[in-house]
Amino acid sequence: MSTPSPTPPKPFWADFKDLSVIGKSTKYIDAYERLTGRAQFASDIVMPGMLYAHATLSPHAHAKILKIDTSKAEALPGVKAVITGREVEDKWTKARLRVNQPIIALDKVRVQGEFVAVVAAESDHIARHAASLVEVEYEKLPFYLDPEEALKPDSLAIHEGGNLVGGKPTPEYNKGDIAKGFAESDVIVEDRIAAPKFVNHSNAETYTVVAWWEGERLHLINSNQWNHGTRNAVAAFLGLPNNKVRVVSKFMGMGLGDKAGANHYVIVAAILAKKTGQPVKFFLDRNEYMVVMTQRYPVIQYMKVGFKKNGKIVAIDARQITAAGGYFNQGAVSASQTVVDYYNYDHLKYQGFNAYTNTPQAGAYRCVGHPQGNFNTESFMDIAAEKLGIDPLTFRKINVIQGTQKHPLTGEDYARPMLMNELIDAAAEKFRWKDRWKGFVSPTFKEGPIRRGVGLSVNICSHGSISGVMSAVTMLNTDGTVDLLAGATDIGGGQRTAMSMIAAEAVGAKLRDVRIEDHDTDTAPDVGGTFGSRQTPSGGSAIALAGFELRKKILEIAAGILNAKPEDLDAKNSEVFLKADPSKKTTFKAIAARQPFPLTATAGYRPPPRIAQRTLTVHMGEIEVDIETGLVKVVDYLAAHDSGRVINPVAFIDQVRGGVIQGIGMALREGLDFDPTYGHTLNPDWLEYKVPTFLDLPPKLEVIYRETLGPWSMAFGAHGIGEPPITPPMAVVANGLYNATGVRVKELPLDPRNVLTAIKLQGVKS
Amino acid sequence: MQQFAHFDVKTVQEAVSLLKQYEGKAKVVAGGTDLYHLMKQRALPSEGPWGLAYPQIIVNLKTIQGLNYIREESSGLKLGAMTTLRDIERSSLVRDKWPALWQAVRAISTPTLRTMGTIGGNIAQEVRCGFYRLADNYFFCLRKGGHVCYAIQGDNRWLFSVMGGPKGCYATHAGDTPTALMALNASVRIAGAGGEKTASIEEFFDVLSPGVKLTPTDLITEIQIPPQPAGSKSAFTKFKVRPIIDFAVSNAAALITKQAGNVSDARVVLGGVYQTPIRSKDAETVLKGKSVNEIVANEAAAAALKGATPLKYNAFKVDIAKTIVRRAILAAAS
């Protein structure tokens, strides 16, 4: 599969060496609005004459719909419309959400929480009441919560064609000769490790949209991660031209992958608004939010790996089984990277099995597929390292992707040198790994029922996955201020600030002279969604290029004023000066004053194709367990990242810390509980679904970073930080628990029940 | 929420007469942290007998003056039923003289909730069974007047009984203060249409809804705790999954009185393992006459869990409960 290497280019930002905006910790430019409560979220919007939508949800995990009677709901005073799947299909759209999900259920429900009917009424109260008056006759069917159960030959098919999505393993990868690989191996390790839970995003703001029509034009204020993505998808569903749909999302209470595409509630709201001629708000409450939409999905991993005595991996044979939920969206394609992307190997056989299950849908959640797979792979590698008699750190250094090599499976070039060993060393030094590591099952602390131990995990994660051309516009206003038009939705990660910083740097303007227009499809061009850790590197590249274009025009005008050649000039702080003599200068204001109209510049950017863009991560932690109760805590944690150039250090560190806390939540407790007998989600709330609290913060949580740049690095060398921090904590905790006690927990979460049960079965060995 | 009528009342008498007027349809609300959750979830059927159905009338006790007090009298500690958990937490009197209660209050949920929740409400709260409380009355369970306890076949890992299911219900009492109050030998003063009465807290809890021995016209007005015996100390321990917010997987309280280093009297109570807090006389017997050390405490804890009959998925709770009881005993004996 090896491809000829393109010649390494000179990055388009390479001449920018002396940065004045990028790399300096900068408070969020919209902090004032956010902190004073002035920021308006979709949930805050109230419009005159606005109706409220509410859905009748399927209470069953799997059932045939025999009859739907909406007459009682329609008769309730204040109800303006009730729609069912049949009406959507007959009158509005036959399109399916993602692969095969009807907007509203037709003849069958495959998931608890599936929309069966949706009501629009004058108040939320009436809408909810009306939704409960929709009478549905179901015939309950056997349901499957476990993908391995669903794949058994005698299981009832959730979709025609059986429960294996696509009818075959997807994806499948092969390299070398797997049988030969094992024959050449000195040590072979085999195990099953699983992240078997659905994990909810727990966004602060649940799903909300407000939809209204002005003539034939649809307006949406939506809590989403990609305005243009939503616009184009909704337009396609309703058969409208793209510019007949407008999507606005200025502030949103987090999006973690679940708000990246067009969701069914948006389309339903648009239909109800059209049908009633009134604005419609569709808000899903926490209970609903936690069952109706996509989640992080289970990944069960069977792994057999052959090693040389010196610890080198020879062959990997792995199977991952994912629970896809009732309708397919995401699965093993993403999770497989945790098998094929971290280490070198000569022989590989990989198969991913995505199984339909009567559970919520598998979907993107901050590093789709990776945290689950990382737990599986990195727990496995610690088990293997112990069998090989090699400490976990040395084991990683022997095998991990390193330096200027090519991708072990695809043969692609990496965008930049993969300095994993340097990152491992930097992490180890800061964490004092070598002082604290006393061998497997050697606690760092032991007193009464308390044991502490250290663990680590590495992670190499792809980013910047949209390959299309994205564009941005910059503008020098007649007073010398700069406008940036780029639809890079701020999902709470500080994108608005980072994009403005990139523009300021590229143009040569003061940050406070830059105004960003980023939240309305009517005014800002598409730079792609804020997901996949892509916005800063990819969207940022379009913005940087549009900034360079504007700078070029500004320097040309300044050349006339300063009597110099444009190439002898530089711009910073909204001033243009002679490189040789910075005292000779003029201001953006003076330059702009010469122009009767604003100067504008546009640029398009396409990420380099067939280049492996990766972020590098090494996490280390010390965990503590009470062996009498199984209660695990994280007492010390170090997150080391190499995401190339750091644009805004304070935001970068916050991203890492937030990701680590989320990961610790998943490591210790989080997971939707489906009743094994009744199939119902039992904990769709923040009491019984246990997201971390502030008291779960490790007493010590440090972040360090290296900034490796390379020939195919994007915007000023940034490589994205949104996702990678959430990925390693599960394996860090599991490996730390093992080193503290000798107890290996092979299924998430490491909650008191699972840990205490494992302690009883395996016995504490320290 | 469904619709309901809401009455602010000024006196206990007014509350009682409203409860009488709307007998079987009305419920009192104090902090509201428990009742409003049930109502917002629409967890109860819209119609049915008192306690098993969505209330049509809410009688708000927060507007009654003078039910919020912490007083030490010669007969012991008097707590008005409307005293917030936060006020108890702030009381050095409670902290110093009735530490098990203070520790139990501190272990409840979050500061925000403790500012709303009251001691009366904490005692009279309903179970946290996930089946009972699931939205839209999805599980019309035995506790609501149905025929099945869904916990027996269902996911019964966390907040379910390991000591049997009296009258068929395997839910557990979720409160922390009841465990401490039982160890401290507290009583409850009750006002009602039938006049005032006082009940020992040991007799006060009940199986099935509403979990306490209150009639539809009764309400709690005061908690009374006797002075603690000379040479005694009390302690409370709780095991919860997160360091804050969560209900007890298991809790325990112990009151240990020592003479010349040996236990002369002991009260040991377990919570979170049965429909009501339960006093373990077996554990107390083990302790009496002995000098408490790890081994004795362990033996007493084992006695407390002796008849345990865990469900399919919650056997681990027996081990945790033993540890929690042992730790309470050791803390009270220290």
Side-chain angles (χ1 to χ4, degrees), chain A residues 441 741-744 756-766:
Chain A
V441 200
T741 59
V743 174
R744 173 61 66 180
L756 202 56
T757 307
I759 284 174
K760 280 208 113 173
L761 281 172
Q762 300 174 31
V764 171
K765 299 178 189 78
S766 60

Side-chain angles (χ1 to χ4, degrees), chain B residues 134-171:
Chain B
L134 202 68
D136 298 315
N137 185 28
Y138 184 74
F139 293 105
F140 179 60
C141 74
L142 186 128
R143 199 175 178 87
K144 296 176 191 171
H147 301 291
V148 180
C149 174
Y150 292 91
I152 299 168
Q153 294 295 320
D155 179 343
N156 50 37
R157 287 174 299 164
W158 299 103
L159 303 180
F160 295 96
S161 173
V162 293
M163 304 293 279
K167 295 197 179 164
C169 170
Y170 286 82

Side-chain angles (χ1 to χ4, degrees), chain A residues 145-335:
Chain A
L145 304 172
D146 172 351
E148 292 186 288
E149 281 293 316
L151 287 176
K152 284 184 178 162
D154 54 348
S155 290
L156 184 74
I158 296 168
H159 286 273
E160 276 177 37
N163 291 338
L164 179 61
V165 176
K168 62 176 175 33
T170 315
E172 272 197 278
Y173 302 127
N174 290 290
K175 179 188 178 182
D177 178 342
I178 193 75
K180 187 164 159 260
F182 285 117
E184 287 169 1
S185 298
D186 300 322
V187 177
I188 294 172
V189 181
E190 252 187 290
D191 224 317
R192 175 194 188 272
I193 304 178
K197 292 299 231 182
F198 278 88
V199 180
N200 186 261
H201 307 77
S202 301
N203 285 328
E205 184 189 26
T206 62
Y207 301 109
T208 311
V209 66
V210 179
W212 74 98
W213 292 76
E214 283 172 18
E216 291 306 301
R217 197 147 188 269
L218 171 65
H219 294 251
L220 298 165
I221 296 176
N222 188 30
S223 179
N224 62 211
Q225 294 169 244
W226 187 13
N227 290 336
H228 290 85
T230 302
R231 179 191 73 169
N232 300 353
V234 171
F237 267 105
L238 299 178
L240 296 168
N242 283 351
N243 64 2
K244 291 282 184 200
V245 181
R246 175 190 182 201
V247 179
V248 177
S249 176
K250 183 164 184 189
F251 292 99
M252 51 114 53
M254 297 158 67
L256 289 156
D258 53 335
K259 297 180 183 172
N263 282 318
H264 53 354
Y265 70 95
V266 180
I267 296 154
V268 169
I271 292 172
L272 285 169
K274 184 80 174 172
K275 201 173 161 178
T276 59
Q278 285 171 267
V280 170
K281 182 181 207 168
F282 200 166
F283 163 81
L284 286 102
D285 69 22
R286 185 65 53 187
N287 279 192
E288 295 161 344
Y289 165 82
M290 289 183 75
V291 300
V292 305
M293 219 70 81
T294 60
Q295 321 274 343
R296 184 178 305 294
Y297 48 95
V299 177
I300 298 161
Q301 192 160 324
Y302 292 86
M303 215 162 171
K304 179 180 172 189
V305 180
F307 301 88
K308 287 289 185 196
K309 274 200 197 98
N310 64 7
K312 218 154 170 42
I313 296 170
V314 181
I316 299 178
D317 183 353
R319 266 183 303 143
Q320 287 179 323
I321 296 149
T322 78
Y327 301 95
F328 185 64
N329 175 14
Q330 291 274 2
V333 167
S334 311

Side-chain angles (χ1 to χ4, degrees), chain A residues 59-60 125 287 626 628-629 669 673 675 677-678 680 682 686-687 690-691 693 696 753 756 760, chain B residues 1 3 41 128 131 134 138 150 153-155 157 239 241-246 313 319 323 326-327:
Chain A
H60 306 302
H125 180 79
N287 279 192
D626 179 334
E628 290 176 349
T629 62
R669 299 175 289 252
D673 296 328
D675 189 274
T677 307
Y678 307 103
H680 215 82
L682 292 173
W686 275 353
L687 186 60
K690 298 187 187 298
V691 292
T693 69
D696 289 297
R753 178 179 181 273
L756 202 56
K760 280 208 113 173
Chain B
M1 277 200 223
Q3 308 250 357
Q41 290 280 88
R128 297 303 307 191
F131 298 98
L134 202 68
Y138 184 74
Y150 292 91
Q153 294 295 320
D155 179 343
R157 287 174 299 164
F239 184 79
V241 175
R242 283 179 292 191
I244 192 164
I245 296 178
D246 289 337
Y313 304 107
D319 293 314
T323 298
R326 171 166 50 81
R327 289 178 184 179

Side-chain angles (χ1 to χ4, degrees), chain B:
Chain B
M1 277 200 223
Q2 283 177 222
Q3 308 250 357
F4 57 89
H6 181 274
F7 292 94
D8 290 337
V9 292
K10 293 236 154 42
T11 63
V12 170
Q13 210 37 56
E14 201 187 331
V16 170
S17 60
L18 272 170
L19 291 175
K20 180 78 191 153
Q21 188 185 340
Y22 297 102
E23 191 167 341
K25 295 189 169 94
K27 280 214 153 198
V28 296
V29 68
T33 60
D34 183 49
L35 181 65
Y36 287 152
H37 176 258
L38 272 170
M39 291 168 69
K40 283 170 83 171
Q41 290 280 88
R42 304 162 303 277
L44 301 173
S46 39
E47 282 169 23
W50 180 75
L52 306 180
Y54 197 98
Q56 295 170 28
I57 308 290
I58 294 294
V59 179
N60 175 24
L61 306 179
K62 287 188 286 292
T63 42
I64 300 177
Q65 300 288 317
L67 269 188
N68 180 352
Y69 53 84
I70 302 172
R71 273 200 300 266
E72 189 182 18
E73 296 175 2
S74 57
S75 58
L77 182 70
K78 303 283 156 66
L79 297 166
M82 291 297 291
T83 307
T84 66
L85 300 169
R86 191 75 172 146
D87 284 343
I88 299 172
E89 183 185 4
R90 286 193 175 126
S91 162
S92 52
L93 173 70
V94 178
R95 183 192 65 205
D96 296 343
K97 295 200 174 173
W98 292 274
L101 176 61
W102 188 78
Q103 290 159 9
V105 166
R106 293 264 299 167
I108 296 167
S109 193
T110 61
T112 318
L113 184 128
R114 294 200 289 272
T115 304
M116 299 169 71
T118 63
I119 182 78
N122 196 255
I123 295 170
Q125 69 181 299
E126 257 293 7
V127 294
R128 297 303 307 191
C129 169
F131 298 98
Y132 180 75
R133 283 188 177 254
L134 202 68
D136 298 315
N137 185 28
Y138 184 74
F139 293 105
F140 179 60
C141 74
L142 186 128
R143 199 175 178 87
K144 296 176 191 171
H147 301 291
V148 180
C149 174
Y150 292 91
I152 299 168
Q153 294 295 320
D155 179 343
N156 50 37
R157 287 174 299 164
W158 299 103
L159 303 180
F160 295 96
S161 173
V162 293
M163 304 293 279
K167 295 197 179 164
C169 170
Y170 286 82
T172 52
H173 195 287
D176 291 317
T177 63
T179 307
L181 290 171
M182 199 181 277
L184 295 171
N185 201 11
S187 316
V188 180
R189 237 176 82 199
I190 299 156
E196 283 207 61
K197 58 195 171 195
T198 303
S200 148
I201 202 148
E202 252 175 273
E203 323 264 89
F204 182 62
F205 293 101
D206 199 2
V207 294
L208 296 190
S209 181
V212 285
K213 287 178 184 148
L214 291 176
T215 71
T217 63
D218 283 347
L219 59 101
I220 303 171
T221 55
E222 190 178 78
I223 318 301
Q224 305 170 341
I225 311 178
Q228 297 305 282
S232 74
K233 189 178 168 192
S234 68
F236 172 89
T237 51
K238 172 175 177 176
F239 184 79
K240 54 192 163 184
V241 175
R242 283 179 292 191
I244 192 164
I245 296 178
D246 289 337
F247 284 95
V249 170
S250 155
N251 64 28
L255 171 69
I256 291 180
T257 312
K258 285 197 276 198
Q259 272 174 4
N262 289 338
V263 176
S264 59
D265 197 11
R267 292 174 70 89
V268 176
V269 181
L270 294 73
V273 293
Y274 186 71
Q275 264 193 69
T276 68
I278 41 173
R279 188 175 161 196
S280 174
K281 294 200 172 153
D282 289 346
E284 293 166 7
T285 307
V286 170
L287 293 172
K288 273 178 202 161
K290 298 212 181 86
S291 165
V292 178
N293 57 23
E294 281 269 351
I295 296 164
V296 170
N298 227 355
E299 212 179 303
L305 273 300
K306 202 169 56 193
T309 50
L311 296 162
K312 191 172 172 188
Y313 304 107
N314 71 357
F316 76 104
K317 272 187 71 164
V318 178
D319 293 314
I320 287 179
K322 267 186 217 166
T323 298
I324 289 305
V325 172
R326 171 166 50 81
R327 289 178 184 179
I329 291 170
L330 286 169
S334 67

Side-chain angles (χ1 to χ4, degrees), chain A residues 408-476:
Chain A
L409 179 62
T410 65
E412 287 170 340
D413 281 296
Y414 288 101
R416 56 183 177 142
M418 299 287 279
L419 301 186
M420 274 304 283
N421 284 345
E422 289 78 353
L423 192 65
I424 291 172
D425 287 341
E429 194 191 326
K430 187 77 181 169
F431 189 72
R432 294 185 299 105
W433 174 270
K434 281 177 185 155
D435 299 339
R436 295 158 94 165
W437 173 259
K438 310 264 185 259
F440 288 101
V441 200
S442 304
T444 52
F445 175 87
K446 181 176 166 179
E447 194 180 294
I450 302 299
R451 302 284 184 281
R452 288 184 188 164
V454 291
L456 65 80
S457 169
V458 303
N459 167 39
I460 296 173
C461 181
S462 64
H463 68 88
S465 46
I466 295 185
S467 54
V469 179
M470 55 208 94
S471 43
V473 177
T474 48
M475 204 185 289
L476 182 73

